[in-house]
Amino acid sequence: IKKILYSFIFYVSFVSQVNAQVTLSSNGPGNTYEDINAVLAPGNNVIEVPDCVHTAFGRHIDEVFDNELNTNVFRFIAHRTPDNDRCQNFDRQRIEIKTYSPSPDNLKAVIGETVEYKWKFKLPSSFQVSPNFTHLHQIKSVGGPLASIPMITLTARKGNPDRIELRYTPTNDQNTIQTADLSLFKGHWVEVNETITYGDNGSYSIVIKRISNGATLLNCNNVSLDMWQDGADFARPKWGIYRSLNTISDLQDEEVLFNDFSIEEIQTLTNKELKEKLDSVRIIPNPSKNSITFKNIQKTDYDAIVLHNSLGAEVKVIKRLKNKKLDVSILSRGLYYIKLVKDKRVIKVLKCLIE
């Protein structure tokens, strides 16, 4: 029992959702670069494109109307030739947008922050990929010795079968941690929800679903990871087409559609706010015979409830909890301890007497 009660002090991970959301959606053809910059870094340039080498074509990101979504969307255009990486690197092509140093602070992640990224994209039905890399999304550090390698990469790669790879590293040794068949993505709009807690003891999750039917195509959820590269000033997202030209015979001209980019910081409560909120949590009635109700707490405030009897043994609560009510009708009489758990840590312990 002492062990159970002692765990009450570890409630520092209680999270409150505070709205700090920034969204970027297409508003129709014209001024595309200017519209993107106005959201992601006002007065600066977040566009990385090969316009310098392909001036006759013009801008490599524009906006078109999409019949499936019934709205305007961004179109990222990569040509097999002569496009390169901004006239700086000639073994690859880059058509990307990003946040970076001049971006507002709420678009740059630092240690201790939890950030949710959302976006939609559609690959052509005939999409071709390199056996080297065809990146669609990256989370990269700015500053420090490891800034050149992304912490997170969502990339398409030629194989048997062709696949989408989710790659990760906190250092300079990137590894694939999840894959999905690329054919599941081709020709379909998908929506991505990615949540990152930045820090040496951080966490990462991503879910990609097909918009037409809600089918989950890739799910890497609540993985505890080192999500900070030593020496970094901040971390930032990138989206677009970034592909190797080392096997150019595998490639063709491509148009990848994107829309509804969202960056939202989820801020933690201060210690004072946390203590005040947790102090108000209670259960009624207490003592109880049939059911108890949790007061002054929302379902999103905790991940799980763990119930222990007076001897410290865990009592299963599966299917007993519904709408913040816990069925205790079949429990033996005595004293019980109820632990509320958030992010794998105990945030509150409540005592309940069953009559």
Side-chain angles (χ1 to χ4, degrees):
I1 298 173
K2 290 181 180 179
K3 182 177 180 181
I4 298 171
L5 293 176
Y6 185 75
S7 65
F8 174 63
I9 66 173
F10 297 102
Y11 54 62
V12 294
S13 65
F14 195 95
V15 173
S16 172
Q17 304 240 346
V18 178
N19 187 10
Q21 186 178 28
V22 174
T23 59
L24 169 63
S25 298
S26 171
N27 59 11
N31 297 319
T32 301
Y33 289 9
E34 292 78 8
D35 292 342
I36 294 172
N37 286 325
V39 173
L40 298 184
N44 295 278
N45 183 26
V46 303
I47 313 291
E48 297 182 336
V49 287
D51 295 358
C52 57
V53 72
H54 201 176
T55 56
F57 177 76
R59 293 183 165 188
H60 284 71
I61 304 175
D62 63 9
E63 296 164 86
V64 295
F65 187 83
D66 182 81
N67 291 321
E68 182 178 348
L69 296 186
N70 194 34
T71 190
N72 292 293
V73 299
F74 296 104
R75 179 172 58 176
F76 289 58
I77 305 165
H79 301 99
R80 186 171 178 268
T81 59
D83 294 353
N84 57 38
D85 181 10
R86 301 163 294 168
C87 298
Q88 298 175 18
N89 299 298
F90 304 93
D91 62 343
R92 64 196 70 181
Q93 298 171 333
R94 186 191 303 269
I95 303 93
E96 289 186 313
I97 63 174
K98 62 184 180 181
T99 65
Y100 74 136
S101 295
S103 298
D105 287 344
N106 62 327
L107 300 184
K108 299 180 290 187
V110 297
I111 287 180
E113 289 184 338
T114 297
V115 184
E116 184 178 58
Y117 305 95
K118 296 179 182 179
W119 69 97
K120 300 170 184 172
F121 73 92
K122 180 181 181 180
L123 303 177
S125 299
S126 60
F127 192 59
Q128 293 184 197
V129 292
S130 164
N132 305 107
F133 64 87
T134 307
H135 297 342
L136 301 168
H137 166 64
Q138 301 170 74
I139 298 290
K140 298 193 70 173
S141 295
V142 174
L146 302 173
S148 63
I149 184 167
M151 284 191 293
I152 291 291
T153 305
L154 190 66
T155 192
R157 196 181 304 273
K158 183 178 180 180
N160 188 21
D162 293 347
R163 59 193 181 272
I164 288 277
E165 295 181 348
L166 178 65
R167 294 176 61 78
Y168 155 79
T169 184
T171 56
N172 58 3
D173 185 19
Q174 199 174 60
N175 295 292
T176 298
I177 58 175
Q178 192 128 354
T179 65
D181 191 327
L182 184 62
S183 66
L184 299 174
F185 292 77
K186 290 183 177 181
H188 300 281
W189 274 103
V190 302
E191 56 186 357
V192 187
N193 189 319
E194 178 183 52
T195 304
I196 302 173
T197 297
Y198 288 95
D200 294 335
N201 297 309
S203 64
Y204 179 83
S205 68
I206 186 170
V207 180
I208 305 179
K209 294 184 177 183
R210 190 179 293 174
I211 292 177
S212 61
N213 60 9
T216 298
L217 307 184
L218 188 146
N219 186 350
C220 183
N221 205 13
N222 296 323
V223 177
S224 296
L225 291 173
D226 179 355
M227 286 303 300
W228 197 255
Q229 291 177 316
D230 292 344
D233 298 321
F234 62 89
R236 51 82 182 274
K238 304 188 78 176
W239 294 278
I241 313 169
Y242 179 38
R243 61 182 184 174
S244 169
L245 295 177
N246 287 338
T247 54
I248 195 170
S249 59
D250 290 314
L251 304 180
Q252 62 181 6
D253 292 355
E254 300 287 5
E255 296 181 358
V256 178
L257 304 180
F258 287 88
N259 207 32
D260 297 335
F261 302 97
S262 169
I263 302 173
E264 182 174 7
E265 291 183 349
I266 302 172
Q267 300 174 352
T268 57
L269 292 170
T270 66
N271 288 337
K272 180 180 178 181
E273 292 170 332
L274 172 59
K275 185 177 185 303
E276 289 175 350
K277 184 170 183 66
L278 291 176
D279 285 347
S280 69
V281 176
R282 59 193 180 96
I283 52 176
I284 58 170
N286 190 10
S288 177
K289 292 182 179 180
N290 298 310
S291 68
I292 57 176
T293 300
F294 293 87
K295 305 294 289 184
N296 302 324
I297 193 168
Q298 303 299 316
K299 184 63 182 75
T300 53
D301 292 335
Y302 59 92
D303 299 326
I305 286 178
V306 181
L307 182 65
H308 290 266
N309 62 23
S310 60
L311 299 177
E314 183 176 341
V315 180
K316 297 298 183 183
V317 296
I318 297 174
K319 296 183 179 179
R320 295 188 189 187
L321 181 65
K322 186 176 182 180
N323 295 328
K324 294 194 290 184
K325 286 189 176 183
L326 182 65
D327 182 3
V328 297
S329 61
I330 65 172
L331 297 180
S332 302
R333 296 176 62 185
L335 182 63
Y336 290 81
Y337 296 90
I338 301 171
K339 297 194 295 185
L340 302 180
V341 180
K342 180 72 176 180
D343 296 333
K344 301 180 181 179
R345 296 182 181 182
V346 176
I347 60 172
K348 180 77 173 180
V349 176
L350 300 161
K351 287 191 290 186
C352 178
L353 183 62
I354 305 299
E355 294 183 330

